[in-house]
Amino acid sequence: MATKTKTGTSGAETIETALHTGAEAMKDGFEKAVKNYDQFMNFGKDTAEAIIKSANAAGKGLETINSEMFAYARKSIEENIAATKAIMGSKSIDEAIQLQSEFGKSAFETYVDELAKFGDLSLAAAKDAATPLQARVSAFVDMVRAG
């Protein structure tokens, strides 16, 4: 005797549930993809703005350093001229040697101070230029962790 397979509403309901679940999963996947795309586009826009801020900060830092270097060069030349005039106008060799020695010591101390100053300016410029980019790296890490 052959057994009858039970067909009825339960099979149709199962297929309908599977189709509905599949449609919901596809809808959820599409919405998530659109959300991720929007996040990616916003991240790219923010990164471009950070690069511009970084470049502007670097340019400003270089401008400051160049300005300070020019001022130091001008001051150095003026001091050299004044020292040369003083040495040439000295009344004895001992006085000329004394003036030359004082000028050399002063010039060296000024040079060392200016080098330290340029180092500080360079460090500050690099830090200012890196800050916007560091923020974007942090934002990227947060985005990856959340995604």
Side-chain angles (χ1 to χ4, degrees), residues 55-74 114 116-126 128-129:
N56 287 338
K60 185 177 178 183
L62 288 174
E63 183 179 328
T64 301
I65 291 168
N66 284 338
S67 173
E68 290 295 325
M69 289 178 101
F70 181 74
Y72 169 67
R74 183 184 344 192
E114 289 296 317
K117 183 174 160 183
F118 293 142
D120 291 344
L121 288 173
S122 298
L123 186 61
D128 290 345

Side-chain angles (χ1 to χ4, degrees), residues 74-141:
R74 183 184 344 192
K75 181 181 172 188
S76 179
I77 290 170
E78 290 170 357
E79 288 174 354
N80 283 335
I81 291 171
T84 301
K85 284 181 181 180
I87 292 168
M88 296 301 247
S90 61
K91 297 188 178 16
S92 69
I93 299 234
D94 288 338
E95 183 183 357
I97 291 172
Q98 179 66 28
L99 289 172
Q100 176 61 33
S101 177
E102 289 172 5
F103 171 72
K105 181 180 176 187
S106 174
F108 181 74
E109 289 172 354
T110 303
Y111 176 74
V112 170
D113 290 343
E114 289 296 317
L115 280 180
K117 183 174 160 183
F118 293 142
D120 291 344
L121 288 173
S122 298
L123 186 61
K127 182 180 175 186
D128 290 345
T131 299
L133 299 178
Q134 288 174 334
R136 296 314 307 148
V137 170
S138 295
F140 179 74
V141 169

